[in-house]
C-alpha cells in the first residue's frame, strides 16, 4: 500500500485545475472545493503548475498573477483542511490546449521544429536544454512551495510524488541534429 505520510491513510490524490472560472478567481469556490475534497476522503491535491512565464516571474519575487495567486490560495486551503499538495509540473504538450485561456506563455526550454522550419510548440524532450529547463522549474516549485508538499511512503521509503516530463507518444521533429526520434 502507498500511504500519505501526514495522515498515514492510503494515498488518495485528485487533480484540481484553476485555469477556468470559477476556480480561476473565486476564492469562496476554491475554499468550499477543498473542504469537499477532504470530506470525500482525499488527502492530496494535484495542482496544475506547468512551466508558464508567470511562475518564473513569481520565482523572481514579482507579484503573483491571478493564476499563480490562486494556486497559492489553494495551497493555504489545502493545508487548512489537513491535506497536502503536489504538482502537475508538465504533461506532454498540454500547454497547447490553453492558448486562449492562459495569458502567460508556456516555457518549453527548447521546442521541436516543423517541416517548414517553424516552432512546433512542443517540448523537445531529448534536448538537454528542455530537460534542464524542466528540472529548474520543478526545483523552484519545490523550493518555493514545498512546505506542505505531499510525502508518501512506498516500501518503507519516503517519496515526493510529482507529475513531470514524459516522453511523447507522437512528436515528429525535423531538427537539424537528426534526433527525430518520434513519428506520428
Amino acid at each position: 500500500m502507498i500511504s500519505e505520510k501526514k495522515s498515514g491513510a492510503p494515498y488518495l490524490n485528485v487533480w484540481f485545475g484553476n485555469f477556468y472560472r470559477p476556480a480561476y478567481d473565486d476564492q469562496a469556490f476554491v475554499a468550499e472545493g477543498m473542504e469537499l475534497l477532504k470530506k470525500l476522503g482525499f488527502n492530496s491535491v494535484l495542482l496544475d503548475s506547468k512551466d508558464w512565464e508567470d511562475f518564473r516571474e513569481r520565482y523572481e519575487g514579482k507579484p503573483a498573477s491571478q493564476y499563480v495567486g490562486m494556486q497559492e490560495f489553494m495551497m493555504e486551503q489545502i493545508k487548512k483542511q489537513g491535506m497536502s499538495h503536489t504538482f502537475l509540473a508538465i504533461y506532454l504538450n498540454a500547454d497547447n490546449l490553453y492558448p486562449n485561456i492562459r495569458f502567460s506563455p508556456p516555457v518549453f526550454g527548447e521546442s521541436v521544429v516543423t517541416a517548414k522550419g517553424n516552432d512546433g510548440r512542443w517540448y523537445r524532450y531529448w534536448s538537454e536544454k528542455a530537460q534542464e529547463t524542466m528540472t529548474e522549474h520543478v526545483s523552484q516549485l519545490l523550493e518555493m512551495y514545498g512546505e506542505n508538499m505531499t510525502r508518501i511512503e512506498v516500501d518503507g521509503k519516503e517519496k515526493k510524488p510529482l507529475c513531470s516530463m514524459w516522453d511523447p507518444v507522437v512528436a515528429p521533429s525535423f531538427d537539424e541534429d537528426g534526433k527525430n526520434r518520434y513519428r506520428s
Side-chain angles (χ1 to χ4, degrees), residues 19-45:
F19 39 80
Y20 291 113
R21 291 184 125 170
Y24 177 75
D25 59 1
D26 185 341
Q27 288 187 343
F29 173 84
V30 168
E32 291 169 17
M34 294 306 147
E35 188 176 340
L36 178 59
L37 292 176
K38 178 66 174 182
K39 286 179 183 176
L40 290 172
F42 292 98
N43 49 33
S44 175
V45 179

Side-chain angles (χ1 to χ4, degrees), residues 73-89:
F73 178 77
M74 290 165 70
M75 288 180 227
E76 291 170 15
Q77 295 303 304
I78 290 165
K79 187 174 182 178
K80 180 180 175 183
Q81 293 300 325
M83 298 183 294
S84 58
H85 67 269
T86 189
F87 304 101
L88 175 62

Side-chain angles (χ1 to χ4, degrees), residues 71-116:
Q71 288 222 345
E72 292 173 354
F73 178 77
M74 290 165 70
M75 288 180 227
E76 291 170 15
Q77 295 303 304
I78 290 165
K79 187 174 182 178
K80 180 180 175 183
Q81 293 300 325
M83 298 183 294
S84 58
H85 67 269
T86 189
F87 304 101
L88 175 62
I90 182 175
Y91 177 70
L92 291 176
N93 195 32
D95 296 328
N96 68 357
L97 300 176
Y98 318 130
N100 300 315
I101 62 172
R102 287 290 291 129
F103 304 107
S104 178
V107 177
F108 293 104
E110 188 173 11
S111 184
V112 298
V113 177
T114 68
K116 293 180 181 179

Side-chain angles (χ1 to χ4, degrees), residues 109-176:
E110 188 173 11
S111 184
V112 298
V113 177
T114 68
K116 293 180 181 179
N118 301 325
D119 181 352
R121 291 188 46 79
W122 197 291
Y123 301 91
R124 194 168 178 247
Y125 293 86
W126 56 96
S127 154
E128 286 183 31
K129 182 176 181 182
Q131 292 171 13
E132 289 168 7
T133 300
M134 181 49 45
T135 300
E136 181 180 276
H137 173 59
V138 169
S139 294
Q140 289 171 320
L141 279 173
L142 298 179
E143 183 178 325
M144 191 160 186
Y145 302 117
E147 178 195 338
N148 191 46
M149 186 169 172
T150 301
R151 286 163 175 75
I152 59 173
E153 189 169 311
V154 180
D155 298 327
K157 295 180 183 175
E158 184 176 295
K159 310 257 182 195
K160 294 178 183 176
L162 182 133
C163 292
S164 188
M165 188 181 282
W166 287 288
D167 271 348
V169 177
V170 294
S173 177
F174 299 92
D175 301 301
E176 291 181 14

